[in-house]
Amino acid sequence: MYTPRIRELIKKVEETRPQRVGIPFPRMSPEEKKEVLKECYPDYKENEFKKLRLGPNKGEKVPVELANIIESKSRLQNLDMDLKKVDYDVDVLVIGGGGAGASAALQAHEKGANVLLVTKLRFGDANTIMAEGGIQAADKENDSPEIHYLDVLGGGHFTNKKELVHALVKDAPNVIKWLNDLGVMFDKEKDGTMITTHGGGTSRKRMHAAADYTGAEIMRVLRDEVLNRGIEVIEFSPAVELLLDTEGKVGGAVLFNLETEEYLIARAKTVIIATGGSGRLHYQGFPTSNHYGATADGLVMGYKAGAEFIFADAIQYHPTGVAYPPQIFGALVTEKVRSLGATPLNIHGEQFVYHLETRDVESSAIIRECTIKNNGIESPSGMVGVWLDTPLIEILHGEGTIEKRLPAMLRMYLKFGIDIRKEPILVYPTLHYQNGGLLIDEYGRTNVENLYVAGEASGGIHGRNRLMGNSLLDILVFGRRAGNHAAEQCKNVTVKQLTLEHVKKHHKELDILGVEGDNMSPMLLPHYTHGREEDN
Ligand code: MEZ
């Protein structure tokens, strides 16, 4: 429920609304984009980054919070534990129960491999279900994978690994067909044509959606499919270290049963890390749109085992996180709200940025408006944000559009007495995604033999900035590719004696660096009692 002061300010939004209908705000020039990014994008704050002092990317900078958990001891107290006592012995071990893990498991199983999927929380507790607005694929007549390719590269400021972008856009139409055939209920016209919209930085309407719970709908179907096929899934059992064998190949993982607190050994010929993102590290103190388990576990385990990072310093702040009400502070206001025409406005009711710039540029413009220009709106809880003029959607597309196309958004705000059909909302950037991660090739392989990564823990596809809807796409494209390749690969693999020598080496390096304290990683769950993660 808004206060009288806020209702008074809303009048300015209502005053300028008629002028904004059908008149697009000018886009920024490349120079203007560069300037606003440098001025306001959090990745440019040098003192929020630290150089890694050990491992394959020694000397490269990463966020302080990530460096701190990399420079932490293993959760395993006993590095001489008996690794011959194997609890699970499989062809393909998938670590992570989101969309990437599920699609990797399905594909590996399809190829005849013996697959085990382990997950930290419940199967499906992942950033996949937090992605609301859609999934990109160039499957319309006026579009093509080539145009999609150019958009992805442009969005990533041309830093992307080109072969990964190629794989992404090439597989995309087939992924949509696969999902549709499995039963994902995409939004369609009466004649069955998929409804598609724009996202920031797209030159064609290629965002396929299931209202504004696209990720949840995809996960619903994938989870059912994994369970129906009888693939073994173990919940509440995160991996806490990878295991290498005496030849340096990956050979499985140590699992931790969160209920019994037992450590279990999973031996595997191939391992696929699909552990997702790191929003719960709350870089630079930002709130996050991520699920509770997004604590960078795969990055830490993979890096310790010798896998390389790429763009681990490139973080995505989604332009529109909730700034008010405080109960949902930082939750995602899907980009689809802007795709449908809602515009960002300052305290004077003026638009200050085109509503569909790429995420990094849009976020920077919002931060600049609230900080340097001092044109933000202080919410009743003290957070400053800008308006997102949601009632404009109903004017542009007709009454009932919000209820039909954005039901989750409508419901989320109605719980707090705010009707987004009638009143604008207050938003500010929220920590949403890690653009980089463990470097992969077109098959999801890392530089560690038989170790694959799929989904948000991987890096290179999106370069330094991802476009909306390419994450739901990449988890499936590279989940499937990794699953396929791992299932083939395991036919030629013999796992030798398992070891934790790489973890012992990590501990020795920490001793040499003089790292003290009891910090342990992977973190597994966020520590909200201590404030910022570096203080834990
Ligand atoms: O790709 C995403 O991050 C996504 C679809 C998010 C959203 O705004 O809905």
PDB file of all heavy atoms in Angstrom, residues 128 134-135 175-188 192 194 208-211 213-225 472 476:
ATOM      1  N   THR A 128      16.673 -21.374 -12.419  1.00  0.00           N
ATOM      2  CA  THR A 128      15.787 -21.623 -13.567  1.00  0.00           C
ATOM      3  C   THR A 128      14.364 -21.164 -13.243  1.00  0.00           C
ATOM      4  O   THR A 128      13.725 -20.490 -14.052  1.00  0.00           O
ATOM      5  CB  THR A 128      15.778 -23.135 -13.908  1.00  0.00           C
ATOM      6  OG1 THR A 128      17.107 -23.526 -14.223  1.00  0.00           O
ATOM      7  CG2 THR A 128      14.867 -23.434 -15.090  1.00  0.00           C
ATOM      8  N   GLY A 134      11.120 -15.098 -20.267  1.00  0.00           N
ATOM      9  CA  GLY A 134      11.112 -15.831 -21.525  1.00  0.00           C
ATOM     10  C   GLY A 134      12.433 -16.459 -21.906  1.00  0.00           C
ATOM     11  O   GLY A 134      13.424 -16.353 -21.193  1.00  0.00           O
ATOM     12  N   ILE A 135      12.396 -17.124 -23.045  1.00  0.00           N
ATOM     13  CA  ILE A 135      13.556 -17.832 -23.594  1.00  0.00           C
ATOM     14  C   ILE A 135      13.658 -17.464 -25.074  1.00  0.00           C
ATOM     15  O   ILE A 135      12.661 -17.502 -25.808  1.00  0.00           O
ATOM     16  CB  ILE A 135      13.423 -19.357 -23.358  1.00  0.00           C
ATOM     17  CG1 ILE A 135      14.501 -20.162 -24.107  1.00  0.00           C
ATOM     18  CG2 ILE A 135      12.046 -19.906 -23.735  1.00  0.00           C
ATOM     19  CD1 ILE A 135      14.569 -21.626 -23.675  1.00  0.00           C
ATOM     20  N   VAL A 175      15.551 -26.513 -29.404  1.00  0.00           N
ATOM     21  CA  VAL A 175      15.279 -26.577 -27.963  1.00  0.00           C
ATOM     22  C   VAL A 175      13.817 -26.190 -27.683  1.00  0.00           C
ATOM     23  O   VAL A 175      13.131 -26.821 -26.875  1.00  0.00           O
ATOM     24  CB  VAL A 175      16.270 -25.667 -27.184  1.00  0.00           C
ATOM     25  CG1 VAL A 175      15.730 -25.273 -25.824  1.00  0.00           C
ATOM     26  CG2 VAL A 175      17.609 -26.377 -27.020  1.00  0.00           C
ATOM     27  N   ILE A 176      13.345 -25.162 -28.376  1.00  0.00           N
ATOM     28  CA  ILE A 176      11.945 -24.750 -28.184  1.00  0.00           C
ATOM     29  C   ILE A 176      11.010 -25.877 -28.618  1.00  0.00           C
ATOM     30  O   ILE A 176      10.028 -26.206 -27.929  1.00  0.00           O
ATOM     31  CB  ILE A 176      11.632 -23.448 -28.983  1.00  0.00           C
ATOM     32  CG1 ILE A 176      12.482 -22.286 -28.468  1.00  0.00           C
ATOM     33  CG2 ILE A 176      10.137 -23.115 -28.939  1.00  0.00           C
ATOM     34  CD1 ILE A 176      12.139 -21.789 -27.075  1.00  0.00           C
ATOM     35  N   LYS A 177      11.334 -26.506 -29.721  1.00  0.00           N
ATOM     36  CA  LYS A 177      10.502 -27.614 -30.206  1.00  0.00           C
ATOM     37  C   LYS A 177      10.520 -28.764 -29.190  1.00  0.00           C
ATOM     38  O   LYS A 177       9.485 -29.359 -28.866  1.00  0.00           O
ATOM     39  CB  LYS A 177      11.015 -28.093 -31.575  1.00  0.00           C
ATOM     40  CG  LYS A 177      10.130 -29.148 -32.179  1.00  0.00           C
ATOM     41  CD  LYS A 177      10.612 -29.624 -33.533  1.00  0.00           C
ATOM     42  CE  LYS A 177       9.724 -30.749 -34.068  1.00  0.00           C
ATOM     43  NZ  LYS A 177       9.317 -31.760 -33.101  1.00  0.00           N
ATOM     44  N   TRP A 178      11.703 -29.052 -28.677  1.00  0.00           N
ATOM     45  CA  TRP A 178      11.860 -30.134 -27.675  1.00  0.00           C
ATOM     46  C   TRP A 178      10.982 -29.849 -26.455  1.00  0.00           C
ATOM     47  O   TRP A 178      10.225 -30.706 -25.997  1.00  0.00           O
ATOM     48  CB  TRP A 178      13.349 -30.219 -27.289  1.00  0.00           C
ATOM     49  CG  TRP A 178      13.730 -31.254 -26.288  1.00  0.00           C
ATOM     50  CD1 TRP A 178      13.629 -32.608 -26.420  1.00  0.00           C
ATOM     51  CD2 TRP A 178      14.303 -31.020 -24.982  1.00  0.00           C
ATOM     52  NE1 TRP A 178      14.113 -33.227 -25.287  1.00  0.00           N
ATOM     53  CE2 TRP A 178      14.537 -32.277 -24.390  1.00  0.00           C
ATOM     54  CE3 TRP A 178      14.657 -29.879 -24.264  1.00  0.00           C
ATOM     55  CZ2 TRP A 178      15.093 -32.430 -23.116  1.00  0.00           C
ATOM     56  CZ3 TRP A 178      15.223 -30.029 -23.004  1.00  0.00           C
ATOM     57  CH2 TRP A 178      15.434 -31.271 -22.438  1.00  0.00           C
ATOM     58  N   LEU A 179      11.065 -28.594 -25.967  1.00  0.00           N
ATOM     59  CA  LEU A 179      10.278 -28.228 -24.779  1.00  0.00           C
ATOM     60  C   LEU A 179       8.782 -28.306 -25.070  1.00  0.00           C
ATOM     61  O   LEU A 179       7.991 -28.808 -24.259  1.00  0.00           O
ATOM     62  CB  LEU A 179      10.621 -26.802 -24.331  1.00  0.00           C
ATOM     63  CG  LEU A 179      12.022 -26.565 -23.761  1.00  0.00           C
ATOM     64  CD1 LEU A 179      12.248 -25.082 -23.500  1.00  0.00           C
ATOM     65  CD2 LEU A 179      12.250 -27.363 -22.478  1.00  0.00           C
ATOM     66  N   ASN A 180       8.414 -27.810 -26.224  1.00  0.00           N
ATOM     67  CA  ASN A 180       6.999 -27.817 -26.613  1.00  0.00           C
ATOM     68  C   ASN A 180       6.481 -29.260 -26.708  1.00  0.00           C
ATOM     69  O   ASN A 180       5.410 -29.587 -26.214  1.00  0.00           O
ATOM     70  CB  ASN A 180       6.857 -27.094 -27.953  1.00  0.00           C
ATOM     71  CG  ASN A 180       5.412 -26.801 -28.293  1.00  0.00           C
ATOM     72  OD1 ASN A 180       4.693 -26.218 -27.484  1.00  0.00           O
ATOM     73  ND2 ASN A 180       4.986 -27.225 -29.469  1.00  0.00           N
ATOM     74  N   ASP A 181       7.293 -30.117 -27.289  1.00  0.00           N
ATOM     75  CA  ASP A 181       6.900 -31.529 -27.422  1.00  0.00           C
ATOM     76  C   ASP A 181       6.807 -32.213 -26.059  1.00  0.00           C
ATOM     77  O   ASP A 181       5.984 -33.106 -25.849  1.00  0.00           O
ATOM     78  CB  ASP A 181       7.891 -32.304 -28.320  1.00  0.00           C
ATOM     79  CG  ASP A 181       7.817 -31.857 -29.776  1.00  0.00           C
ATOM     80  OD1 ASP A 181       6.858 -31.119 -30.117  1.00  0.00           O
ATOM     81  OD2 ASP A 181       8.720 -32.219 -30.559  1.00  0.00           O
ATOM     82  N   LEU A 182       7.672 -31.778 -25.129  1.00  0.00           N
ATOM     83  CA  LEU A 182       7.622 -32.378 -23.787  1.00  0.00           C
ATOM     84  C   LEU A 182       6.400 -31.899 -22.995  1.00  0.00           C
ATOM     85  O   LEU A 182       6.024 -32.514 -22.000  1.00  0.00           O
ATOM     86  CB  LEU A 182       8.888 -32.026 -22.985  1.00  0.00           C
ATOM     87  CG  LEU A 182      10.187 -32.748 -23.344  1.00  0.00           C
ATOM     88  CD1 LEU A 182      11.337 -32.223 -22.485  1.00  0.00           C
ATOM     89  CD2 LEU A 182      10.057 -34.256 -23.132  1.00  0.00           C
ATOM     90  N   GLY A 183       5.831 -30.760 -23.431  1.00  0.00           N
ATOM     91  CA  GLY A 183       4.603 -30.303 -22.764  1.00  0.00           C
ATOM     92  C   GLY A 183       4.680 -28.944 -22.106  1.00  0.00           C
ATOM     93  O   GLY A 183       3.781 -28.576 -21.349  1.00  0.00           O
ATOM     94  N   VAL A 184       5.749 -28.175 -22.383  1.00  0.00           N
ATOM     95  CA  VAL A 184       5.815 -26.814 -21.828  1.00  0.00           C
ATOM     96  C   VAL A 184       4.700 -25.979 -22.458  1.00  0.00           C
ATOM     97  O   VAL A 184       4.535 -25.976 -23.672  1.00  0.00           O
ATOM     98  CB  VAL A 184       7.201 -26.174 -22.099  1.00  0.00           C
ATOM     99  CG1 VAL A 184       7.207 -24.689 -21.734  1.00  0.00           C
ATOM    100  CG2 VAL A 184       8.286 -26.917 -21.322  1.00  0.00           C
ATOM    101  N   MET A 185       3.941 -25.299 -21.610  1.00  0.00           N
ATOM    102  CA  MET A 185       2.776 -24.549 -22.120  1.00  0.00           C
ATOM    103  C   MET A 185       3.163 -23.119 -22.468  1.00  0.00           C
ATOM    104  O   MET A 185       2.936 -22.177 -21.706  1.00  0.00           O
ATOM    105  CB  MET A 185       1.660 -24.601 -21.088  1.00  0.00           C
ATOM    106  CG  MET A 185       1.123 -26.023 -20.943  1.00  0.00           C
ATOM    107  SD  MET A 185      -0.410 -26.102 -20.048  1.00  0.00           S
ATOM    108  CE  MET A 185       0.159 -25.879 -18.390  1.00  0.00           C
ATOM    109  N   PHE A 186       3.777 -22.970 -23.660  1.00  0.00           N
ATOM    110  CA  PHE A 186       4.161 -21.635 -24.130  1.00  0.00           C
ATOM    111  C   PHE A 186       2.915 -20.834 -24.491  1.00  0.00           C
ATOM    112  O   PHE A 186       1.891 -21.406 -24.889  1.00  0.00           O
ATOM    113  CB  PHE A 186       5.039 -21.763 -25.382  1.00  0.00           C
ATOM    114  CG  PHE A 186       6.460 -22.194 -25.084  1.00  0.00           C
ATOM    115  CD1 PHE A 186       6.918 -23.438 -25.492  1.00  0.00           C
ATOM    116  CD2 PHE A 186       7.333 -21.353 -24.402  1.00  0.00           C
ATOM    117  CE1 PHE A 186       8.223 -23.838 -25.228  1.00  0.00           C
ATOM    118  CE2 PHE A 186       8.646 -21.747 -24.136  1.00  0.00           C
ATOM    119  CZ  PHE A 186       9.087 -22.987 -24.542  1.00  0.00           C
ATOM    120  N   ASP A 187       3.041 -19.505 -24.395  1.00  0.00           N
ATOM    121  CA  ASP A 187       1.951 -18.623 -24.833  1.00  0.00           C
ATOM    122  C   ASP A 187       1.809 -18.736 -26.346  1.00  0.00           C
ATOM    123  O   ASP A 187       2.800 -18.602 -27.081  1.00  0.00           O
ATOM    124  CB  ASP A 187       2.278 -17.154 -24.507  1.00  0.00           C
ATOM    125  CG  ASP A 187       2.374 -16.906 -23.012  1.00  0.00           C
ATOM    126  OD1 ASP A 187       1.911 -17.776 -22.247  1.00  0.00           O
ATOM    127  OD2 ASP A 187       2.917 -15.859 -22.618  1.00  0.00           O
ATOM    128  N   LYS A 188       0.571 -18.960 -26.795  1.00  0.00           N
ATOM    129  CA  LYS A 188       0.337 -19.124 -28.239  1.00  0.00           C
ATOM    130  C   LYS A 188      -0.892 -18.346 -28.681  1.00  0.00           C
ATOM    131  O   LYS A 188      -1.790 -18.086 -27.875  1.00  0.00           O
ATOM    132  CB  LYS A 188       0.117 -20.609 -28.556  1.00  0.00           C
ATOM    133  CG  LYS A 188       1.370 -21.450 -28.393  1.00  0.00           C
ATOM    134  CD  LYS A 188       1.101 -22.905 -28.681  1.00  0.00           C
ATOM    135  CE  LYS A 188       2.364 -23.696 -28.390  1.00  0.00           C
ATOM    136  NZ  LYS A 188       2.131 -25.083 -28.123  1.00  0.00           N
ATOM    137  N   GLY A 192      -2.161 -21.463 -32.772  1.00  0.00           N
ATOM    138  CA  GLY A 192      -1.023 -22.272 -32.323  1.00  0.00           C
ATOM    139  C   GLY A 192       0.338 -21.616 -32.521  1.00  0.00           C
ATOM    140  O   GLY A 192       1.354 -22.147 -32.070  1.00  0.00           O
ATOM    141  N   MET A 194       3.443 -19.449 -31.787  1.00  0.00           N
ATOM    142  CA  MET A 194       4.025 -18.972 -30.512  1.00  0.00           C
ATOM    143  C   MET A 194       3.993 -17.439 -30.481  1.00  0.00           C
ATOM    144  O   MET A 194       4.367 -16.792 -31.471  1.00  0.00           O
ATOM    145  CB  MET A 194       5.485 -19.397 -30.411  1.00  0.00           C
ATOM    146  CG  MET A 194       5.676 -20.881 -30.386  1.00  0.00           C
ATOM    147  SD  MET A 194       6.092 -21.421 -28.737  1.00  0.00           S
ATOM    148  CE  MET A 194       6.433 -23.144 -29.100  1.00  0.00           C
ATOM    149  N   HIS A 208      10.145 -16.330 -26.235  1.00  0.00           N
ATOM    150  CA  HIS A 208       9.010 -17.236 -26.055  1.00  0.00           C
ATOM    151  C   HIS A 208       8.735 -17.318 -24.559  1.00  0.00           C
ATOM    152  O   HIS A 208       9.680 -17.468 -23.777  1.00  0.00           O
ATOM    153  CB  HIS A 208       9.336 -18.634 -26.571  1.00  0.00           C
ATOM    154  CG  HIS A 208       9.717 -18.666 -28.028  1.00  0.00           C
ATOM    155  ND1 HIS A 208      10.818 -18.026 -28.522  1.00  0.00           N
ATOM    156  CD2 HIS A 208       9.141 -19.289 -29.081  1.00  0.00           C
ATOM    157  CE1 HIS A 208      10.901 -18.233 -29.820  1.00  0.00           C
ATOM    158  NE2 HIS A 208       9.896 -18.998 -30.196  1.00  0.00           N
ATOM    159  N   ALA A 209       7.481 -17.282 -24.168  1.00  0.00           N
ATOM    160  CA  ALA A 209       7.206 -17.232 -22.733  1.00  0.00           C
ATOM    161  C   ALA A 209       6.017 -18.100 -22.349  1.00  0.00           C
ATOM    162  O   ALA A 209       5.173 -18.433 -23.186  1.00  0.00           O
ATOM    163  CB  ALA A 209       6.942 -15.782 -22.325  1.00  0.00           C
ATOM    164  N   ALA A 210       5.996 -18.447 -21.077  1.00  0.00           N
ATOM    165  CA  ALA A 210       4.791 -19.018 -20.479  1.00  0.00           C
ATOM    166  C   ALA A 210       4.378 -17.988 -19.440  1.00  0.00           C
ATOM    167  O   ALA A 210       4.905 -17.996 -18.321  1.00  0.00           O
ATOM    168  CB  ALA A 210       5.088 -20.364 -19.841  1.00  0.00           C
ATOM    169  N   ALA A 211       3.515 -17.073 -19.851  1.00  0.00           N
ATOM    170  CA  ALA A 211       3.152 -15.896 -19.043  1.00  0.00           C
ATOM    171  C   ALA A 211       4.433 -15.285 -18.453  1.00  0.00           C
ATOM    172  O   ALA A 211       5.384 -15.055 -19.194  1.00  0.00           O
ATOM    173  CB  ALA A 211       2.145 -16.259 -17.961  1.00  0.00           C
ATOM    174  N   TYR A 213       6.020 -16.846 -15.820  1.00  0.00           N
ATOM    175  CA  TYR A 213       6.656 -17.908 -15.017  1.00  0.00           C
ATOM    176  C   TYR A 213       7.260 -18.945 -15.960  1.00  0.00           C
ATOM    177  O   TYR A 213       7.128 -20.163 -15.763  1.00  0.00           O
ATOM    178  CB  TYR A 213       5.681 -18.532 -14.003  1.00  0.00           C
ATOM    179  CG  TYR A 213       4.271 -18.716 -14.498  1.00  0.00           C
ATOM    180  CD1 TYR A 213       3.931 -19.789 -15.307  1.00  0.00           C
ATOM    181  CD2 TYR A 213       3.268 -17.800 -14.165  1.00  0.00           C
ATOM    182  CE1 TYR A 213       2.650 -19.952 -15.780  1.00  0.00           C
ATOM    183  CE2 TYR A 213       1.978 -17.954 -14.634  1.00  0.00           C
ATOM    184  CZ  TYR A 213       1.679 -19.032 -15.436  1.00  0.00           C
ATOM    185  OH  TYR A 213       0.403 -19.173 -15.900  1.00  0.00           O
ATOM    186  N   THR A 214       7.989 -18.436 -16.958  1.00  0.00           N
ATOM    187  CA  THR A 214       8.552 -19.304 -18.000  1.00  0.00           C
ATOM    188  C   THR A 214       9.519 -20.340 -17.422  1.00  0.00           C
ATOM    189  O   THR A 214       9.427 -21.533 -17.748  1.00  0.00           O
ATOM    190  CB  THR A 214       9.296 -18.436 -19.043  1.00  0.00           C
ATOM    191  OG1 THR A 214       8.457 -17.331 -19.386  1.00  0.00           O
ATOM    192  CG2 THR A 214       9.630 -19.238 -20.285  1.00  0.00           C
ATOM    193  N   GLY A 215      10.421 -19.889 -16.559  1.00  0.00           N
ATOM    194  CA  GLY A 215      11.414 -20.816 -15.993  1.00  0.00           C
ATOM    195  C   GLY A 215      10.751 -21.876 -15.126  1.00  0.00           C
ATOM    196  O   GLY A 215      11.128 -23.057 -15.162  1.00  0.00           O
ATOM    197  N   ALA A 216       9.767 -21.462 -14.356  1.00  0.00           N
ATOM    198  CA  ALA A 216       9.075 -22.415 -13.473  1.00  0.00           C
ATOM    199  C   ALA A 216       8.336 -23.462 -14.313  1.00  0.00           C
ATOM    200  O   ALA A 216       8.313 -24.646 -13.971  1.00  0.00           O
ATOM    201  CB  ALA A 216       8.095 -21.665 -12.568  1.00  0.00           C
ATOM    202  N   GLU A 217       7.748 -23.021 -15.411  1.00  0.00           N
ATOM    203  CA  GLU A 217       7.016 -23.943 -16.286  1.00  0.00           C
ATOM    204  C   GLU A 217       7.989 -24.939 -16.957  1.00  0.00           C
ATOM    205  O   GLU A 217       7.722 -26.140 -17.025  1.00  0.00           O
ATOM    206  CB  GLU A 217       6.230 -23.121 -17.328  1.00  0.00           C
ATOM    207  CG  GLU A 217       5.623 -23.898 -18.474  1.00  0.00           C
ATOM    208  CD  GLU A 217       4.592 -24.942 -18.053  1.00  0.00           C
ATOM    209  OE1 GLU A 217       4.268 -25.044 -16.869  1.00  0.00           O
ATOM    210  OE2 GLU A 217       4.139 -25.695 -18.947  1.00  0.00           O
ATOM    211  N   ILE A 218       9.133 -24.421 -17.395  1.00  0.00           N
ATOM    212  CA  ILE A 218      10.132 -25.313 -18.019  1.00  0.00           C
ATOM    213  C   ILE A 218      10.627 -26.329 -16.980  1.00  0.00           C
ATOM    214  O   ILE A 218      10.724 -27.525 -17.245  1.00  0.00           O
ATOM    215  CB  ILE A 218      11.305 -24.482 -18.604  1.00  0.00           C
ATOM    216  CG1 ILE A 218      10.811 -23.702 -19.832  1.00  0.00           C
ATOM    217  CG2 ILE A 218      12.487 -25.374 -18.970  1.00  0.00           C
ATOM    218  CD1 ILE A 218      11.828 -22.732 -20.416  1.00  0.00           C
ATOM    219  N   MET A 219      10.898 -25.840 -15.780  1.00  0.00           N
ATOM    220  CA  MET A 219      11.413 -26.737 -14.732  1.00  0.00           C
ATOM    221  C   MET A 219      10.376 -27.780 -14.345  1.00  0.00           C
ATOM    222  O   MET A 219      10.712 -28.941 -14.085  1.00  0.00           O
ATOM    223  CB  MET A 219      11.822 -25.897 -13.506  1.00  0.00           C
ATOM    224  CG  MET A 219      12.705 -26.627 -12.517  1.00  0.00           C
ATOM    225  SD  MET A 219      14.338 -27.017 -13.153  1.00  0.00           S
ATOM    226  CE  MET A 219      14.435 -28.776 -12.916  1.00  0.00           C
ATOM    227  N   ARG A 220       9.118 -27.383 -14.312  1.00  0.00           N
ATOM    228  CA  ARG A 220       8.036 -28.335 -13.981  1.00  0.00           C
ATOM    229  C   ARG A 220       8.083 -29.526 -14.935  1.00  0.00           C
ATOM    230  O   ARG A 220       8.064 -30.689 -14.527  1.00  0.00           O
ATOM    231  CB  ARG A 220       6.676 -27.627 -14.095  1.00  0.00           C
ATOM    232  CG  ARG A 220       5.463 -28.530 -13.901  1.00  0.00           C
ATOM    233  CD  ARG A 220       4.162 -27.806 -14.221  1.00  0.00           C
ATOM    234  NE  ARG A 220       3.934 -27.589 -15.650  1.00  0.00           N
ATOM    235  CZ  ARG A 220       3.459 -28.494 -16.499  1.00  0.00           C
ATOM    236  NH1 ARG A 220       3.172 -29.715 -16.078  1.00  0.00           N
ATOM    237  NH2 ARG A 220       3.292 -28.199 -17.779  1.00  0.00           N
ATOM    238  N   VAL A 221       8.231 -29.208 -16.209  1.00  0.00           N
ATOM    239  CA  VAL A 221       8.195 -30.263 -17.226  1.00  0.00           C
ATOM    240  C   VAL A 221       9.468 -31.118 -17.178  1.00  0.00           C
ATOM    241  O   VAL A 221       9.407 -32.346 -17.247  1.00  0.00           O
ATOM    242  CB  VAL A 221       7.970 -29.625 -18.618  1.00  0.00           C
ATOM    243  CG1 VAL A 221       8.207 -30.612 -19.724  1.00  0.00           C
ATOM    244  CG2 VAL A 221       6.565 -29.043 -18.688  1.00  0.00           C
ATOM    245  N   LEU A 222      10.618 -30.457 -17.049  1.00  0.00           N
ATOM    246  CA  LEU A 222      11.883 -31.219 -17.037  1.00  0.00           C
ATOM    247  C   LEU A 222      11.977 -32.132 -15.811  1.00  0.00           C
ATOM    248  O   LEU A 222      12.417 -33.276 -15.901  1.00  0.00           O
ATOM    249  CB  LEU A 222      13.088 -30.271 -17.051  1.00  0.00           C
ATOM    250  CG  LEU A 222      13.290 -29.439 -18.317  1.00  0.00           C
ATOM    251  CD1 LEU A 222      14.516 -28.561 -18.176  1.00  0.00           C
ATOM    252  CD2 LEU A 222      13.417 -30.322 -19.558  1.00  0.00           C
ATOM    253  N   ARG A 223      11.542 -31.610 -14.680  1.00  0.00           N
ATOM    254  CA  ARG A 223      11.599 -32.409 -13.451  1.00  0.00           C
ATOM    255  C   ARG A 223      10.700 -33.650 -13.582  1.00  0.00           C
ATOM    256  O   ARG A 223      11.109 -34.766 -13.266  1.00  0.00           O
ATOM    257  CB  ARG A 223      11.148 -31.546 -12.268  1.00  0.00           C
ATOM    258  CG  ARG A 223      11.297 -32.216 -10.919  1.00  0.00           C
ATOM    259  CD  ARG A 223      10.963 -31.262  -9.803  1.00  0.00           C
ATOM    260  NE  ARG A 223       9.719 -30.554 -10.090  1.00  0.00           N
ATOM    261  CZ  ARG A 223       9.342 -29.422  -9.509  1.00  0.00           C
ATOM    262  NH1 ARG A 223      10.108 -28.862  -8.632  1.00  0.00           N
ATOM    263  NH2 ARG A 223       8.204 -28.848  -9.809  1.00  0.00           N
ATOM    264  N   ASP A 224       9.505 -33.444 -14.093  1.00  0.00           N
ATOM    265  CA  ASP A 224       8.596 -34.590 -14.320  1.00  0.00           C
ATOM    266  C   ASP A 224       9.244 -35.618 -15.225  1.00  0.00           C
ATOM    267  O   ASP A 224       9.152 -36.816 -14.994  1.00  0.00           O
ATOM    268  CB  ASP A 224       7.300 -34.119 -15.001  1.00  0.00           C
ATOM    269  CG  ASP A 224       6.291 -33.622 -13.995  1.00  0.00           C
ATOM    270  OD1 ASP A 224       6.624 -33.622 -12.794  1.00  0.00           O
ATOM    271  OD2 ASP A 224       5.194 -33.225 -14.418  1.00  0.00           O
ATOM    272  N   GLU A 225       9.892 -35.102 -16.274  1.00  0.00           N
ATOM    273  CA  GLU A 225      10.476 -36.010 -17.272  1.00  0.00           C
ATOM    274  C   GLU A 225      11.612 -36.837 -16.645  1.00  0.00           C
ATOM    275  O   GLU A 225      11.695 -38.038 -16.862  1.00  0.00           O
ATOM    276  CB  GLU A 225      11.016 -35.152 -18.432  1.00  0.00           C
ATOM    277  CG  GLU A 225      11.316 -35.902 -19.696  1.00  0.00           C
ATOM    278  CD  GLU A 225      10.101 -36.557 -20.343  1.00  0.00           C
ATOM    279  OE1 GLU A 225       8.950 -36.158 -20.077  1.00  0.00           O
ATOM    280  OE2 GLU A 225      10.330 -37.509 -21.122  1.00  0.00           O
ATOM    281  N   LEU A 472      17.871 -19.027 -19.959  1.00  0.00           N
ATOM    282  CA  LEU A 472      17.007 -20.215 -20.060  1.00  0.00           C
ATOM    283  C   LEU A 472      17.394 -21.011 -21.295  1.00  0.00           C
ATOM    284  O   LEU A 472      17.302 -22.239 -21.311  1.00  0.00           O
ATOM    285  CB  LEU A 472      15.530 -19.801 -20.132  1.00  0.00           C
ATOM    286  CG  LEU A 472      14.869 -19.431 -18.804  1.00  0.00           C
ATOM    287  CD1 LEU A 472      13.413 -19.023 -19.014  1.00  0.00           C
ATOM    288  CD2 LEU A 472      14.950 -20.571 -17.790  1.00  0.00           C
ATOM    289  N   LEU A 476      19.709 -25.080 -21.418  1.00  0.00           N
ATOM    290  CA  LEU A 476      19.183 -26.244 -22.146  1.00  0.00           C
ATOM    291  C   LEU A 476      20.108 -26.652 -23.286  1.00  0.00           C
ATOM    292  O   LEU A 476      20.388 -27.837 -23.480  1.00  0.00           O
ATOM    293  CB  LEU A 476      17.780 -25.927 -22.666  1.00  0.00           C
ATOM    294  CG  LEU A 476      16.808 -25.536 -21.540  1.00  0.00           C
ATOM    295  CD1 LEU A 476      15.514 -25.004 -22.090  1.00  0.00           C
ATOM    296  CD2 LEU A 476      16.542 -26.703 -20.613  1.00  0.00           C
TER     297      LEU A 476
END
